[in-house]
Amino acid sequence: MARIPGRQPTAPPTLADVAERAGVSRQTVSNAVNNPDLLRADTLLRVQEAIEELGYLPNRAARNLRTRASHLVGLRINPVQEGTASAIMDRFVHSLVETSREAGKHVLLFAGDPLDPLAGYDDLLRSTAVDAFVVTDTYLGNPQAAWLGARRAPFVAFGRPWDNPAANHPWVDVDGAAGCELATSHLLDQGHERIAWIGWRKDSWIGEDRRSGWTRALRARGLSTTGLASRVEDTVASGRGASAVLLDEARPTGFVCASDTLAMGVLHTLAERGLVAGRDVAVVGFDDSQVAQVVPPGLTSVRQPLEEVAVEVVKALEGLLAHPPAVGPGVLLTPTLTVRGSSSAVGFGT
Amino acid sequence: MARIPGRQPTAPPTLADVAERAGVSRQTVSNAVNNPDLLRADTLLRVQEAIEELGYLPNRAARNLRTRASHLVGLRINPVQEGTASAIMDRFVHSLVETSREAGKHVLLFAGDPLDPLAGYDDLLRSTAVDAFVVTDTYLGNPQAAWLGARRAPFVAFGRPWDNPAANHPWVDVDGAAGCELATSHLLDQGHERIAWIGWRKDSWIGEDRRSGWTRALRARGLSTTGLASRVEDTVASGRGASAVLLDEARPTGFVCASDTLAMGVLHTLAERGLVAGRDVAVVGFDDSQVAQVVPPGLTSVRQPLEEVAVEVVKALEGLLAHPPAVGPGVLLTPTLTVRGSSSAVGFGT
DNA sequence: ATGAAAGCGCTAACAT
DNA sequence: ATGTTAGCGCTTTCAT
């Protein structure tokens, strides 16, 4: 990289450096970067050469100050839940970063006090550090949505506004009911007729949604759900306990679970009883976590299309930050089912 | 939040707004924020009240432009390795974000073409979007370190400069050899004498380091390692294959693995042969992934102290960005062993 | 098609 | 202890 004498050896070149080198004004360089159409072809070429030679790239801070935009998207991350199989954030974050890059944005991570869902948002907003937020933890009944809305802070939610269908912020979500219906139908197709559900407590909107997919699939085949459902906390121990009770009292031949964590609990029960998943009892989880992928004999699981979610989220962000802002309707994506050994003898061997 | 008439209703208050309200100059407000010691107590109080009332927070872009610092740390993230148990990034990223916050920094995520380890760094550097980088994927023989060094880009590595012990950049790493020695000693203490190693190919520095811990522990008790080691790719299938061969040819009663992924491969082999982990054969993995935590009967695993790593990384960053920069020696942290059912009948029941 | 002037909000350097 | 001046690097507006 060529250096201008008299400058700090590490200071990157500025617009003025390029202008001098190309023999034009600073403004023309700016136009070459942002509105190339305005330049005559030969001028443009000369400026571009100078840019190339100097390795010029616009200074972010200066541009941000001038345009009042940071091209940064804030994403709050919570601590990893140890002892669970929860694994979607990892994949989602990567997809979001990747997609954001294509849209000329970067992702700014910030931490949040798990007890205060609002912590961190305010400072970033008031210091104009980010242009918008991506809000992911809507499962709590997200006060963020209302709060951010009240502050006129642009944001896109990954997750439906369950508690307020009239909310007018953009959102993207995955159809959990469809996923569980898919899972249940898969077991029905394998010949199972007594299929149990292990899900979350009734106050979880997501949990009730997923459960409805199980109900729907059984009803569609004229099968009863009575005595086959259990609602517990999202822990391996709860899954194990619930499956033990269900096996004793309802004798199901298959389990559909609201999470991979609960499904792993079922695998624990089976291991204790000398039963083999996929041969003796079928098990399906939700999220297609790494756990599902590597546990013997492989856990069949509902997979959220997180790459698509990221694409839709970024699309919504771009609309939101456009002039004038454009807010489309919520987007509901359909998950797929990844079949492994836990639900089909064929799948044995990973 | 009070609003100044004549301004956009959404534009945050500026230094000038606060100055006017407090009846002082803009500089005094700036000092109140950055050098409160310079103000007389009563002036400081008045300014602070004005700041409070207006909800003022300094504009990031303006401050960044003026101070030539973004208080942003760049972290490149790679795609999640599907089908493996690899899980440390998640935990590390969260710890890093948390610790950075305490140091007044935020973490900027960017994506990288997995094939080009340098992609993404250059642009952020030249556009002065970040103050420094945290480099994590040093296992490849990291060209980033040399490259960033040549550009005088401040960075801290999570991972030793294996290929260049003379490198003078700050780094933090976890002692893999000590971890595997811990794991092997644990099995020795349980009475095992034939303990096999399943690790990575010889060109992996990290793999050889971890393996040396296994060797050291066996040698210390006068036991031979001959015929007990295998070097394969980091996949579940490889771990399964290697453990099958080792069981047939060397009859080990315990396995120490370079990763949880390989350890899961061992569990596959055991499941196929009707053997029970922890009762018939002991297995230890590395990384204490979620997989290790939830798989029945629980996988004993070496746990990296990622929270400490993050603390040391941020410490090193602060030194690096201080005036003048201060670069301390590399920091090597010691992992712990999390014992679960796969290596002790006691651990049965999670 | 190109250039000149102004200013985004802040802080470093110097006055007072 | 506080105020004044200048300028960080860029883009918007307006003139040429």
Short mmCIF file of all heavy atoms in Angstrom, two decimals, chain B residues 88-127:
data_model
loop_
_atom_site.label_atom_id
_atom_site.label_comp_id
_atom_site.label_asym_id
_atom_site.label_seq_id
_atom_site.Cartn_x
_atom_site.Cartn_y
_atom_site.Cartn_z
N ILE B 88 -17.39 -25.33 20.85
CA ILE B 88 -16.80 -24.34 21.74
C ILE B 88 -17.05 -22.91 21.29
O ILE B 88 -17.10 -22.01 22.10
CB ILE B 88 -15.30 -24.57 21.95
CG1 ILE B 88 -14.51 -24.28 20.70
CG2 ILE B 88 -15.01 -25.97 22.46
CD1 ILE B 88 -13.03 -24.08 21.00
N MET B 89 -17.23 -22.68 20.00
CA MET B 89 -17.38 -21.30 19.54
C MET B 89 -18.55 -20.61 20.22
O MET B 89 -18.45 -19.47 20.66
CB MET B 89 -17.54 -21.25 18.02
CG MET B 89 -16.21 -21.19 17.30
SD MET B 89 -15.08 -19.94 17.99
CE MET B 89 -15.63 -18.49 17.08
N ASP B 90 -19.65 -21.31 20.29
CA ASP B 90 -20.83 -20.78 20.93
C ASP B 90 -20.52 -20.22 22.31
O ASP B 90 -20.84 -19.07 22.62
CB ASP B 90 -21.82 -21.94 21.09
CG ASP B 90 -23.17 -21.57 20.56
OD1 ASP B 90 -23.27 -20.54 19.90
OD2 ASP B 90 -24.11 -22.34 20.83
N ARG B 91 -19.91 -21.04 23.11
CA ARG B 91 -19.59 -20.64 24.48
C ARG B 91 -18.57 -19.52 24.48
O ARG B 91 -18.66 -18.58 25.25
CB ARG B 91 -19.04 -21.84 25.26
CG ARG B 91 -20.03 -22.54 26.16
CD ARG B 91 -19.35 -23.72 26.84
NE ARG B 91 -18.36 -23.33 27.81
CZ ARG B 91 -17.25 -24.04 28.09
NH1 ARG B 91 -17.00 -25.16 27.45
NH2 ARG B 91 -16.41 -23.62 29.00
N PHE B 92 -17.58 -19.66 23.61
CA PHE B 92 -16.53 -18.64 23.58
C PHE B 92 -17.08 -17.29 23.14
O PHE B 92 -16.76 -16.25 23.73
CB PHE B 92 -15.39 -19.08 22.66
CG PHE B 92 -14.32 -18.03 22.52
CD1 PHE B 92 -13.56 -17.65 23.61
CD2 PHE B 92 -14.08 -17.42 21.30
CE1 PHE B 92 -12.58 -16.67 23.49
CE2 PHE B 92 -13.11 -16.44 21.17
CZ PHE B 92 -12.36 -16.06 22.27
N VAL B 93 -17.88 -17.30 22.11
CA VAL B 93 -18.43 -16.05 21.61
C VAL B 93 -19.23 -15.35 22.70
O VAL B 93 -19.07 -14.15 22.93
CB VAL B 93 -19.32 -16.29 20.37
CG1 VAL B 93 -20.10 -15.03 20.03
CG2 VAL B 93 -18.48 -16.72 19.19
N HIS B 94 -20.03 -16.11 23.39
CA HIS B 94 -20.81 -15.46 24.44
C HIS B 94 -19.91 -14.88 25.52
O HIS B 94 -20.11 -13.75 25.97
CB HIS B 94 -21.81 -16.43 25.07
CG HIS B 94 -22.68 -15.75 26.06
ND1 HIS B 94 -22.37 -15.66 27.39
CD2 HIS B 94 -23.82 -15.03 25.89
CE1 HIS B 94 -23.29 -14.95 28.01
NE2 HIS B 94 -24.18 -14.55 27.13
N SER B 95 -18.92 -15.64 25.93
CA SER B 95 -18.01 -15.14 26.96
C SER B 95 -17.29 -13.90 26.48
O SER B 95 -17.08 -12.95 27.23
CB SER B 95 -16.98 -16.22 27.33
OG SER B 95 -17.63 -17.35 27.85
N LEU B 96 -16.89 -13.92 25.23
CA LEU B 96 -16.17 -12.78 24.68
C LEU B 96 -17.04 -11.53 24.65
O LEU B 96 -16.60 -10.43 25.01
CB LEU B 96 -15.68 -13.11 23.27
CG LEU B 96 -14.81 -12.05 22.61
CD1 LEU B 96 -13.49 -11.90 23.35
CD2 LEU B 96 -14.56 -12.39 21.14
N VAL B 97 -18.27 -11.70 24.24
CA VAL B 97 -19.19 -10.57 24.19
C VAL B 97 -19.41 -10.00 25.58
O VAL B 97 -19.36 -8.78 25.79
CB VAL B 97 -20.54 -11.00 23.56
CG1 VAL B 97 -21.58 -9.90 23.73
CG2 VAL B 97 -20.36 -11.33 22.09
N GLU B 98 -19.62 -10.88 26.50
CA GLU B 98 -19.86 -10.48 27.89
C GLU B 98 -18.65 -9.72 28.45
O GLU B 98 -18.79 -8.63 29.02
CB GLU B 98 -20.10 -11.76 28.71
CG GLU B 98 -20.52 -11.52 30.12
CD GLU B 98 -21.94 -11.02 30.19
OE1 GLU B 98 -22.83 -11.66 29.60
OE2 GLU B 98 -22.14 -9.98 30.82
N THR B 99 -17.49 -10.30 28.27
CA THR B 99 -16.28 -9.67 28.81
C THR B 99 -15.97 -8.36 28.09
O THR B 99 -15.53 -7.38 28.70
CB THR B 99 -15.08 -10.62 28.67
OG1 THR B 99 -15.47 -11.93 29.08
CG2 THR B 99 -13.91 -10.15 29.51
N SER B 100 -16.20 -8.33 26.80
CA SER B 100 -15.95 -7.12 26.03
C SER B 100 -16.82 -5.97 26.52
O SER B 100 -16.38 -4.83 26.60
CB SER B 100 -16.25 -7.37 24.55
OG SER B 100 -15.38 -8.35 24.04
N ARG B 101 -18.03 -6.30 26.84
CA ARG B 101 -18.95 -5.27 27.32
C ARG B 101 -18.39 -4.59 28.56
O ARG B 101 -18.42 -3.37 28.69
CB ARG B 101 -20.30 -5.91 27.65
CG ARG B 101 -21.36 -4.92 28.08
CD ARG B 101 -22.67 -5.63 28.37
NE ARG B 101 -22.54 -6.66 29.37
CZ ARG B 101 -22.62 -6.45 30.69
NH1 ARG B 101 -22.84 -5.24 31.14
NH2 ARG B 101 -22.48 -7.43 31.54
N GLU B 102 -17.83 -5.40 29.44
CA GLU B 102 -17.26 -4.83 30.66
C GLU B 102 -16.07 -3.93 30.34
O GLU B 102 -15.70 -3.08 31.13
CB GLU B 102 -16.83 -5.96 31.60
CG GLU B 102 -18.03 -6.72 32.18
CD GLU B 102 -17.64 -8.08 32.73
OE1 GLU B 102 -16.44 -8.33 32.91
OE2 GLU B 102 -18.56 -8.90 32.97
N ALA B 103 -15.47 -4.15 29.19
CA ALA B 103 -14.32 -3.33 28.79
C ALA B 103 -14.75 -2.22 27.83
O ALA B 103 -13.91 -1.58 27.19
CB ALA B 103 -13.26 -4.21 28.14
N GLY B 104 -16.06 -2.02 27.70
CA GLY B 104 -16.55 -0.96 26.83
C GLY B 104 -16.40 -1.24 25.35
O GLY B 104 -16.35 -0.32 24.54
N LYS B 105 -16.34 -2.49 25.02
CA LYS B 105 -16.19 -2.85 23.60
C LYS B 105 -17.37 -3.71 23.15
O LYS B 105 -18.01 -4.36 23.96
CB LYS B 105 -14.90 -3.65 23.40
CG LYS B 105 -13.66 -2.89 23.80
CD LYS B 105 -12.40 -3.68 23.49
CE LYS B 105 -11.20 -3.01 24.12
NZ LYS B 105 -11.17 -1.56 23.86
N HIS B 106 -17.57 -3.71 21.85
CA HIS B 106 -18.56 -4.61 21.29
C HIS B 106 -17.88 -5.53 20.29
O HIS B 106 -16.79 -5.25 19.80
CB HIS B 106 -19.69 -3.84 20.61
CG HIS B 106 -20.64 -3.22 21.57
ND1 HIS B 106 -21.63 -3.94 22.22
CD2 HIS B 106 -20.75 -1.96 22.01
CE1 HIS B 106 -22.30 -3.13 23.02
NE2 HIS B 106 -21.80 -1.92 22.91
N VAL B 107 -18.56 -6.62 20.00
CA VAL B 107 -18.00 -7.60 19.08
C VAL B 107 -18.71 -7.51 17.74
O VAL B 107 -19.93 -7.56 17.68
CB VAL B 107 -18.14 -9.03 19.65
CG1 VAL B 107 -17.69 -10.07 18.63
CG2 VAL B 107 -17.34 -9.15 20.94
N LEU B 108 -17.93 -7.32 16.69
CA LEU B 108 -18.47 -7.26 15.34
C LEU B 108 -18.19 -8.59 14.66
O LEU B 108 -17.04 -9.01 14.53
CB LEU B 108 -17.81 -6.14 14.56
CG LEU B 108 -18.27 -6.02 13.11
CD1 LEU B 108 -19.43 -5.05 13.03
CD2 LEU B 108 -17.15 -5.56 12.21
N LEU B 109 -19.25 -9.24 14.22
CA LEU B 109 -19.10 -10.53 13.57
C LEU B 109 -18.94 -10.35 12.07
O LEU B 109 -19.63 -9.53 11.47
CB LEU B 109 -20.35 -11.35 13.84
CG LEU B 109 -20.25 -12.56 14.74
CD1 LEU B 109 -19.27 -12.34 15.87
CD2 LEU B 109 -21.61 -12.95 15.26
N PHE B 110 -18.08 -11.12 11.48
CA PHE B 110 -18.06 -11.12 10.03
C PHE B 110 -17.83 -12.53 9.53
O PHE B 110 -17.32 -13.40 10.24
CB PHE B 110 -17.03 -10.14 9.45
CG PHE B 110 -15.59 -10.45 9.81
CD1 PHE B 110 -14.74 -10.99 8.87
CD2 PHE B 110 -15.11 -10.16 11.07
CE1 PHE B 110 -13.41 -11.25 9.18
CE2 PHE B 110 -13.78 -10.43 11.38
CZ PHE B 110 -12.94 -10.97 10.44
N ALA B 111 -18.28 -12.77 8.33
CA ALA B 111 -18.23 -14.12 7.77
C ALA B 111 -16.98 -14.26 6.95
O ALA B 111 -16.39 -13.29 6.49
CB ALA B 111 -19.45 -14.37 6.89
N GLY B 112 -16.56 -15.47 6.80
CA GLY B 112 -15.38 -15.69 5.98
C GLY B 112 -15.62 -16.84 5.02
O GLY B 112 -16.25 -17.82 5.37
N ASP B 113 -15.13 -16.66 3.85
CA ASP B 113 -15.07 -17.76 2.91
C ASP B 113 -14.16 -18.82 3.56
O ASP B 113 -13.00 -18.56 3.82
CB ASP B 113 -14.44 -17.25 1.61
CG ASP B 113 -14.29 -18.37 0.60
OD1 ASP B 113 -14.58 -19.52 0.95
OD2 ASP B 113 -13.89 -18.08 -0.54
N PRO B 114 -14.71 -20.00 3.83
CA PRO B 114 -13.91 -21.02 4.52
C PRO B 114 -12.63 -21.35 3.74
O PRO B 114 -11.66 -21.83 4.32
CB PRO B 114 -14.85 -22.23 4.55
CG PRO B 114 -16.21 -21.69 4.36
CD PRO B 114 -16.07 -20.44 3.54
N LEU B 115 -12.64 -21.08 2.46
CA LEU B 115 -11.46 -21.42 1.65
C LEU B 115 -10.41 -20.32 1.69
O LEU B 115 -9.25 -20.55 1.35
CB LEU B 115 -11.89 -21.69 0.20
CG LEU B 115 -12.83 -22.88 0.05
CD1 LEU B 115 -13.26 -23.05 -1.39
CD2 LEU B 115 -12.14 -24.15 0.56
N ASP B 116 -10.82 -19.12 2.07
CA ASP B 116 -9.86 -18.02 2.11
C ASP B 116 -9.79 -17.48 3.53
O ASP B 116 -10.63 -16.70 3.95
CB ASP B 116 -10.31 -16.91 1.15
CG ASP B 116 -9.38 -15.72 1.25
OD1 ASP B 116 -8.36 -15.80 1.97
OD2 ASP B 116 -9.67 -14.70 0.60
N PRO B 117 -8.79 -17.89 4.27
CA PRO B 117 -8.72 -17.52 5.68
C PRO B 117 -8.53 -16.02 5.89
O PRO B 117 -8.72 -15.53 6.99
CB PRO B 117 -7.53 -18.30 6.22
CG PRO B 117 -6.79 -18.82 5.03
CD PRO B 117 -7.68 -18.74 3.84
N LEU B 118 -8.19 -15.28 4.84
CA LEU B 118 -7.94 -13.85 4.99
C LEU B 118 -9.16 -13.01 4.64
O LEU B 118 -9.20 -11.83 4.98
CB LEU B 118 -6.78 -13.45 4.07
CG LEU B 118 -5.38 -13.42 4.68
CD1 LEU B 118 -5.22 -14.44 5.78
CD2 LEU B 118 -4.33 -13.63 3.61
N ALA B 119 -10.13 -13.63 4.01
CA ALA B 119 -11.28 -12.88 3.53
C ALA B 119 -11.97 -12.16 4.67
O ALA B 119 -12.18 -12.72 5.74
CB ALA B 119 -12.27 -13.83 2.85
N GLY B 120 -12.31 -10.92 4.42
CA GLY B 120 -13.07 -10.16 5.41
C GLY B 120 -12.20 -9.28 6.29
O GLY B 120 -12.61 -8.19 6.65
N TYR B 121 -11.02 -9.72 6.60
CA TYR B 121 -10.16 -8.94 7.49
C TYR B 121 -9.77 -7.61 6.85
O TYR B 121 -9.83 -6.56 7.47
CB TYR B 121 -8.89 -9.72 7.84
CG TYR B 121 -9.11 -10.86 8.81
CD1 TYR B 121 -9.20 -12.17 8.38
CD2 TYR B 121 -9.24 -10.61 10.18
CE1 TYR B 121 -9.40 -13.22 9.28
CE2 TYR B 121 -9.45 -11.64 11.08
CZ TYR B 121 -9.53 -12.95 10.62
OH TYR B 121 -9.74 -13.95 11.50
N ASP B 122 -9.36 -7.71 5.61
CA ASP B 122 -8.80 -6.54 4.95
C ASP B 122 -9.76 -5.36 4.90
O ASP B 122 -9.40 -4.24 5.26
CB ASP B 122 -8.36 -6.94 3.54
CG ASP B 122 -7.39 -5.95 2.96
OD1 ASP B 122 -6.64 -5.33 3.76
OD2 ASP B 122 -7.38 -5.76 1.74
N ASP B 123 -10.97 -5.63 4.48
CA ASP B 123 -11.94 -4.55 4.34
C ASP B 123 -12.21 -3.86 5.67
O ASP B 123 -12.25 -2.63 5.75
CB ASP B 123 -13.25 -5.08 3.78
CG ASP B 123 -13.10 -5.41 2.30
OD1 ASP B 123 -12.01 -5.20 1.75
OD2 ASP B 123 -14.09 -5.89 1.71
N LEU B 124 -12.39 -4.65 6.69
CA LEU B 124 -12.68 -4.06 7.99
C LEU B 124 -11.52 -3.21 8.48
O LEU B 124 -11.71 -2.16 9.08
CB LEU B 124 -12.98 -5.16 9.01
CG LEU B 124 -14.31 -5.87 8.81
CD1 LEU B 124 -14.43 -7.07 9.74
CD2 LEU B 124 -15.46 -4.91 9.06
N LEU B 125 -10.35 -3.68 8.18
CA LEU B 125 -9.15 -2.98 8.60
C LEU B 125 -9.02 -1.64 7.89
O LEU B 125 -8.83 -0.60 8.51
CB LEU B 125 -7.96 -3.87 8.26
CG LEU B 125 -6.66 -3.65 9.00
CD1 LEU B 125 -6.93 -3.69 10.50
CD2 LEU B 125 -5.67 -4.73 8.60
N ARG B 126 -9.13 -1.68 6.59
CA ARG B 126 -8.92 -0.47 5.79
C ARG B 126 -10.03 0.54 5.99
O ARG B 126 -9.82 1.74 5.84
CB ARG B 126 -8.77 -0.85 4.32
CG ARG B 126 -7.50 -1.68 4.09
CD ARG B 126 -7.02 -1.65 2.64
NE ARG B 126 -8.02 -1.30 1.69
CZ ARG B 126 -8.49 -2.13 0.74
NH1 ARG B 126 -8.03 -3.35 0.65
NH2 ARG B 126 -9.39 -1.72 -0.10
N SER B 127 -11.21 0.05 6.30
CA SER B 127 -12.30 1.01 6.52
C SER B 127 -12.36 1.45 7.98
O SER B 127 -13.30 2.12 8.38
CB SER B 127 -13.63 0.40 6.08
OG SER B 127 -13.92 -0.73 6.86
#
